[in-house]
Amino acid sequence: MWSRYPTDDELRRIFEETLTAVVAGAGPTSCSWFDMWTDTTLSEIMEAYPDVTDALIAQARAAFAGQLDGSNSRAYEAAMDAAFQQQRPEAAIEVYKALHSPKRTDG
């Protein structure tokens, strides 16, 4: 159990350990500190087992890079802001669903 949020180096280690596990067919651990994009791509790898492709692994690495550099959260915030500025609650729901889709590939 962590008493604080892990450092980037610790997150990298956790990611590599988790990636190695899901590529081998094991499930990701709970409370892994990953954002929804990283977690989703790791789940896709787990679902693809034993037919894990290099493309899926690259997608997971890209998602994790987006977590570390903040681009995943910035994309989410920008999309939600745009939906709310349209004053269309259904647009925000559409954005939420699209960004939480397991087939999101834009990092």
Side-chain angles (χ1 to χ4, degrees):
M1 177 62 83
W2 293 82
S3 61
R4 60 173 170 70
Y5 193 81
T7 66
D8 283 358
D9 286 340
E10 290 167 332
L11 278 173
R12 284 183 189 94
R13 182 185 51 77
I14 294 166
F15 174 77
E16 291 301 329
E17 290 171 358
T18 304
L19 180 61
T20 298
V22 296
V23 166
T29 61
S30 61
C31 193
S32 62
W33 302 100
F34 300 133
D35 68 11
M36 66 186 150
W37 292 280
T38 303
D39 188 57
T40 298
T41 58
L42 290 168
S43 293
E44 288 173 351
I45 290 171
M46 186 178 65
E47 291 170 11
Y49 180 82
D51 300 317
V52 177
T53 64
D54 289 342
L56 280 173
I57 294 170
Q59 186 176 342
R61 289 189 184 286
F64 182 64
Q67 176 178 337
L68 289 181
D69 71 15
S71 60
N72 292 351
S73 61
R74 285 191 302 275
Y76 179 79
E77 290 172 12
M80 291 302 282
D81 286 348
F84 282 111
Q85 287 176 6
Q86 295 175 13
Q87 296 184 356
R88 293 181 41 235
E90 66 277 8
I93 292 169
E94 292 166 13
V95 167
Y96 180 86
K97 286 179 181 177
L99 291 173
H100 288 76
S101 165
K103 297 301 178 190
R104 182 172 179 263
T105 60
D106 62 348

